[in-house]
Amino acid sequence: MTAVADYRPPRWLRNPHLQSVLGSSALRRHRGQRLLASSGAVTTEHILDGGDGVRLQGWHSALPGQPARGLAVLLHGWEGSAESSYMRMTAARMLALGYEVVRLNFRDHGDTHHLNEDIFHSNRIEEVVHAVADIGRRFAPRPMVVAGYSLGGNFALRLALRAPQAGLPLRRVAAVCPVLDPATTMSHIESGPALYDWYFTRKWRSSLLRKRALFPRRHDFDDAVLALDIRALTDWLVRRHTAYASLDEYFDGYSIAGERLAGLRVPADILMAEDDPVIPFDSFRHWRLPPLARLEIAPWGGHCGFIENAAGDGFAERWVADRLAAAG
């Protein structure tokens, strides 16, 4: 099985910012497209039931004529999508291992802004649970595994907490650089290199502009709102589009720090990078995990990078596939 010690990128790839930037580069996007296309899988779109009228989009891929070993559901990071490089590259690896794959888009990610009137926020876990249950019904009976990256890793672990009560046949989860303490991550983005604040805020503003254009009566915010910095814009979202009374309460709602995973009943593997510029090492140094969860820490990798070479191959995608396949 792939071990963290196996990840030894060349010296020029050991800079955390380079890793993080290359992780979402055009090089990686094209490589992900090629790998998934060359897998021979047939991919179809499905509009999934998120409960209470919510609709989420999933892309199901399967190798024709081959019985599936299981079903892998993949969750992307904030302002990523089912088409992100790591999603496609992980899908290609899982297909090669005999799994069917569903790449799920969260609300307002990818080209899905039209599916729901209300805006995405990070506490919308119940609709993801409902959508994954719908996936299970559509493609049953299949043993199910789930993997997520960054915010998707956070969702994957919260999904695992809810799986027994929701009746999900979830065998194992894998999370890469999951957001642990959102308040700490926000502060780190604000105090770190301006690149990260610019990257996330730019993509979020573009998403909100699409939402306003599609539902102008529901979302009549002006350009002054969109000009707010990332903390002020998040506070605006919380006050107008959630039931939380404050920013701190909102962050606490999807935090998985401390002992919040104590009730986990599904085996979980978690990969972090010690040099992650978005999720500081101190935020998970004293993380209290239950016996079924295993944390592996690589000295390099940046935020969801873990790139191995100039071709853009990713250790994280290989690690995820190995860990999920261990579910049998």
Side-chain angles (χ1 to χ4, degrees):
M1 182 176 287
T2 301
V4 168
D6 297 330
Y7 177 55
R8 299 190 62 82
R11 292 191 178 276
W12 67 271
L13 262 178
R14 295 183 182 182
N15 180 282
H17 307 302
L18 179 61
Q19 280 279 346
S20 303
V21 170
L22 288 178
S24 57
S25 65
L27 168 71
R28 287 262 294 173
R29 287 197 300 274
H30 295 323
R31 185 153 183 77
Q33 287 173 340
R34 290 195 302 271
L35 287 172
L36 187 54
S38 65
S39 71
V42 174
T43 298
T44 54
E45 179 190 15
H46 296 263
I47 301 302
L48 303 164
D49 177 14
D52 296 327
V54 173
R55 297 180 297 162
L56 299 183
Q57 181 193 59
W59 293 96
H60 173 260
S61 299
L63 296 175
Q66 295 189 24
R69 174 180 174 184
L71 175 66
V73 179
L74 306 181
L75 307 177
H76 58 77
W78 184 43
E79 294 304 330
S81 77
E83 309 305 333
S84 292
S85 58
Y86 52 85
M87 294 282 278
R88 284 173 162 158
M89 295 170 87
T90 305
R93 286 195 173 273
M94 295 306 298
L95 287 161
L97 290 172
Y99 284 79
E100 295 181 13
V101 179
V102 174
R103 291 171 290 131
L104 180 67
N105 268 317
F106 294 141
R107 178 195 295 238
D108 295 348
H109 288 73
D111 190 22
T112 70
H113 295 69
H114 63 289
L115 292 179
N116 302 284
E117 187 170 320
D118 288 333
I119 292 174
F120 170 83
H121 63 73
S122 298
N123 278 289
R124 293 195 186 277
I125 180 63
E126 298 306 330
E127 64 190 47
V128 174
V129 174
H130 274 89
V132 174
D134 189 16
I135 291 169
R137 288 189 295 270
R138 294 185 189 214
F139 304 106
R142 297 279 191 276
M144 183 184 293
V145 292
V146 171
Y149 293 78
S150 192
L151 183 60
N154 172 289
F155 267 84
L157 292 167
R158 286 187 288 151
L159 176 70
L161 277 173
R162 291 162 172 79
Q165 185 176 0
L168 297 177
L170 188 56
R171 295 281 187 86
R172 198 175 195 97
V173 296
V176 177
C177 300
V179 175
L180 304 184
D181 181 348
T184 299
T185 296
M186 172 70 77
S187 297
H188 215 64
I189 290 174
E190 290 176 309
S191 62
L195 167 67
Y196 300 104
D197 191 326
W198 172 82
Y199 175 81
F200 287 116
T201 306
R202 176 182 63 88
K203 297 195 78 172
W204 191 16
R205 285 171 179 156
S206 176
S207 177
L208 291 172
L209 278 170
R210 291 184 67 181
K211 207 70 177 179
R212 184 175 70 179
L214 286 164
F215 304 103
R217 292 187 179 181
R218 176 73 176 89
H219 305 300
D220 59 353
F221 50 85
D222 58 23
D223 291 345
V225 169
L226 297 179
L228 296 171
D229 62 35
I230 193 167
R231 180 177 293 274
L233 190 55
T234 306
D235 183 65
W236 167 86
L237 168 79
V238 169
R239 286 185 284 109
R240 287 167 176 77
H241 296 278
T242 79
Y244 294 96
S246 68
L247 194 57
D248 287 341
E249 186 179 317
Y250 167 72
F251 285 149
D252 189 64
Y254 69 100
S255 173
I256 54 172
E259 298 182 351
R260 286 174 173 83
L261 294 182
L264 194 66
R265 298 293 178 265
V266 177
D269 294 285
I270 302 154
L271 175 65
M272 306 292 286
E274 192 169 347
D275 65 354
D276 191 322
V278 175
I279 304 174
F281 182 66
D282 283 345
S283 71
F284 58 86
R285 187 191 298 271
H286 303 296
W287 197 15
R288 297 182 181 179
L289 292 173
L292 284 175
R294 181 183 178 190
L295 173 63
E296 300 180 55
I297 302 171
W300 311 287
H303 185 64
C304 292
F306 299 98
I307 298 170
E308 298 186 287
N309 51 44
D313 291 319
F315 172 81
E317 293 84 31
R318 186 156 56 93
W319 178 91
V320 164
D322 277 0
R323 295 305 179 274
L324 293 184

PDB file of all heavy atoms in Angstrom, residues 45 65 138 239 263:
ATOM      1  N   GLU A  45     -24.621  12.203 -16.903  1.00  0.00           N
ATOM      2  CA  GLU A  45     -25.053  13.195 -15.909  1.00  0.00           C
ATOM      3  C   GLU A  45     -26.291  12.686 -15.174  1.00  0.00           C
ATOM      4  O   GLU A  45     -27.188  12.082 -15.778  1.00  0.00           O
ATOM      5  CB  GLU A  45     -25.369  14.521 -16.589  1.00  0.00           C
ATOM      6  CG  GLU A  45     -25.850  15.597 -15.617  1.00  0.00           C
ATOM      7  CD  GLU A  45     -26.396  16.831 -16.329  1.00  0.00           C
ATOM      8  OE1 GLU A  45     -26.675  16.750 -17.545  1.00  0.00           O
ATOM      9  OE2 GLU A  45     -26.538  17.877 -15.660  1.00  0.00           O
ATOM     10  N   GLY A  65     -19.654  -3.164 -19.571  1.00  0.00           N
ATOM     11  CA  GLY A  65     -19.483  -4.602 -19.636  1.00  0.00           C
ATOM     12  C   GLY A  65     -18.673  -5.205 -18.513  1.00  0.00           C
ATOM     13  O   GLY A  65     -18.376  -6.414 -18.536  1.00  0.00           O
ATOM     14  N   ARG A 138     -29.726   4.602  -6.629  1.00  0.00           N
ATOM     15  CA  ARG A 138     -29.666   4.472  -8.088  1.00  0.00           C
ATOM     16  C   ARG A 138     -28.700   3.383  -8.537  1.00  0.00           C
ATOM     17  O   ARG A 138     -28.924   2.743  -9.573  1.00  0.00           O
ATOM     18  CB  ARG A 138     -29.248   5.806  -8.717  1.00  0.00           C
ATOM     19  CG  ARG A 138     -30.268   6.909  -8.542  1.00  0.00           C
ATOM     20  CD  ARG A 138     -29.852   8.161  -9.285  1.00  0.00           C
ATOM     21  NE  ARG A 138     -30.713   9.283  -8.948  1.00  0.00           N
ATOM     22  CZ  ARG A 138     -31.047  10.242  -9.800  1.00  0.00           C
ATOM     23  NH1 ARG A 138     -30.600  10.207 -11.041  1.00  0.00           N
ATOM     24  NH2 ARG A 138     -31.820  11.237  -9.409  1.00  0.00           N
ATOM     25  N   ARG A 239     -25.170  36.313   7.626  1.00  0.00           N
ATOM     26  CA  ARG A 239     -26.294  37.093   8.138  1.00  0.00           C
ATOM     27  C   ARG A 239     -27.526  37.024   7.246  1.00  0.00           C
ATOM     28  O   ARG A 239     -28.646  37.141   7.729  1.00  0.00           O
ATOM     29  CB  ARG A 239     -25.859  38.552   8.344  1.00  0.00           C
ATOM     30  CG  ARG A 239     -24.954  38.726   9.560  1.00  0.00           C
ATOM     31  CD  ARG A 239     -24.621  40.182   9.847  1.00  0.00           C
ATOM     32  NE  ARG A 239     -23.621  40.710   8.912  1.00  0.00           N
ATOM     33  CZ  ARG A 239     -23.876  41.590   7.960  1.00  0.00           C
ATOM     34  NH1 ARG A 239     -25.104  42.035   7.788  1.00  0.00           N
ATOM     35  NH2 ARG A 239     -22.916  42.026   7.172  1.00  0.00           N
ATOM     36  N   GLY A 263     -17.535  10.375  17.383  1.00  0.00           N
ATOM     37  CA  GLY A 263     -18.581   9.392  17.121  1.00  0.00           C
ATOM     38  C   GLY A 263     -18.439   8.656  15.801  1.00  0.00           C
ATOM     39  O   GLY A 263     -19.350   7.931  15.396  1.00  0.00           O
TER      40      GLY A 263
END
